[in-house]
Short mmCIF file of all heavy atoms in Angstrom, two decimals:
data_model
loop_
_atom_site.label_atom_id
_atom_site.label_comp_id
_atom_site.label_asym_id
_atom_site.label_seq_id
_atom_site.Cartn_x
_atom_site.Cartn_y
_atom_site.Cartn_z
N ILE A 564 -10.11 17.85 26.53
CA ILE A 564 -11.43 17.57 27.10
C ILE A 564 -11.45 18.06 28.55
O ILE A 564 -10.49 17.83 29.29
CB ILE A 564 -11.72 16.06 27.06
CG1 ILE A 564 -11.83 15.59 25.62
CG2 ILE A 564 -12.98 15.72 27.83
CD1 ILE A 564 -12.03 14.11 25.49
N PRO A 565 -12.52 18.73 28.98
CA PRO A 565 -12.62 19.16 30.38
C PRO A 565 -12.49 17.97 31.33
O PRO A 565 -13.00 16.87 31.04
CB PRO A 565 -14.02 19.78 30.48
CG PRO A 565 -14.35 20.17 29.07
CD PRO A 565 -13.69 19.15 28.20
N ALA A 566 -11.79 18.18 32.43
CA ALA A 566 -11.55 17.09 33.38
C ALA A 566 -12.84 16.42 33.83
O ALA A 566 -12.89 15.21 34.05
CB ALA A 566 -10.77 17.61 34.59
N LYS A 567 -13.91 17.22 33.94
CA LYS A 567 -15.18 16.67 34.42
C LYS A 567 -15.78 15.65 33.45
O LYS A 567 -16.62 14.83 33.83
CB LYS A 567 -16.18 17.80 34.66
CG LYS A 567 -16.59 18.57 33.42
CD LYS A 567 -17.58 19.67 33.74
CE LYS A 567 -17.98 20.48 32.51
NZ LYS A 567 -18.65 19.70 31.48
N ASP A 568 -15.35 15.69 32.18
CA ASP A 568 -15.89 14.78 31.18
C ASP A 568 -15.07 13.50 31.03
O ASP A 568 -15.45 12.58 30.30
CB ASP A 568 -15.97 15.47 29.81
CG ASP A 568 -16.97 16.61 29.80
OD1 ASP A 568 -17.91 16.58 30.61
OD2 ASP A 568 -16.80 17.54 28.98
N ILE A 569 -13.93 13.44 31.72
CA ILE A 569 -13.05 12.27 31.60
C ILE A 569 -13.50 11.19 32.56
O ILE A 569 -13.56 11.39 33.78
CB ILE A 569 -11.58 12.64 31.87
CG1 ILE A 569 -11.09 13.65 30.82
CG2 ILE A 569 -10.70 11.38 31.84
CD1 ILE A 569 -9.69 14.17 31.08
N GLU A 570 -13.82 10.03 32.01
CA GLU A 570 -14.31 8.91 32.81
C GLU A 570 -13.18 7.94 33.13
O GLU A 570 -13.06 7.43 34.24
CB GLU A 570 -15.43 8.19 32.03
CG GLU A 570 -16.01 6.98 32.74
CD GLU A 570 -16.89 7.35 33.91
OE1 GLU A 570 -17.42 8.48 33.93
OE2 GLU A 570 -17.04 6.52 34.83
N ASP A 571 -12.33 7.66 32.14
CA ASP A 571 -11.34 6.59 32.30
C ASP A 571 -10.28 6.74 31.22
O ASP A 571 -10.58 6.65 30.04
CB ASP A 571 -12.07 5.23 32.18
CG ASP A 571 -11.15 4.03 32.29
OD1 ASP A 571 -9.95 4.21 32.53
OD2 ASP A 571 -11.66 2.91 32.12
N THR A 572 -9.03 6.98 31.63
CA THR A 572 -7.95 7.13 30.63
C THR A 572 -7.41 5.79 30.16
O THR A 572 -6.61 5.75 29.23
CB THR A 572 -6.79 7.97 31.21
OG1 THR A 572 -6.30 7.34 32.40
CG2 THR A 572 -7.24 9.39 31.51
N ASN A 573 -7.84 4.71 30.78
CA ASN A 573 -7.40 3.38 30.33
C ASN A 573 -7.85 3.15 28.89
O ASN A 573 -9.02 3.30 28.56
CB ASN A 573 -8.01 2.29 31.23
CG ASN A 573 -7.62 0.90 30.77
OD1 ASN A 573 -6.49 0.68 30.36
ND2 ASN A 573 -8.56 -0.02 30.84
N GLY A 574 -6.92 2.84 28.03
CA GLY A 574 -7.26 2.56 26.64
C GLY A 574 -7.13 3.75 25.71
O GLY A 574 -7.34 3.60 24.50
N ALA A 575 -6.77 4.93 26.24
CA ALA A 575 -6.65 6.11 25.37
C ALA A 575 -5.57 5.90 24.31
O ALA A 575 -5.77 6.20 23.12
CB ALA A 575 -6.33 7.35 26.20
N GLY A 576 -4.43 5.36 24.73
CA GLY A 576 -3.34 5.10 23.78
C GLY A 576 -3.71 4.04 22.77
O GLY A 576 -3.38 4.14 21.58
N ASP A 577 -4.39 2.99 23.24
CA ASP A 577 -4.84 1.92 22.34
C ASP A 577 -5.80 2.49 21.30
O ASP A 577 -5.74 2.16 20.11
CB ASP A 577 -5.56 0.82 23.12
CG ASP A 577 -4.71 0.20 24.21
OD1 ASP A 577 -3.47 0.29 24.12
OD2 ASP A 577 -5.29 -0.36 25.15
N ALA A 578 -6.72 3.35 21.77
CA ALA A 578 -7.71 3.94 20.88
C ALA A 578 -7.06 4.86 19.86
O ALA A 578 -7.43 4.87 18.68
CB ALA A 578 -8.76 4.70 21.69
#
Side-chain angles (χ1 to χ4, degrees):
I564 294 176
K567 65 180 179 62
D568 294 335
I569 297 175
E570 179 73 24
D571 178 4
T572 58
N573 178 39
D577 302 338

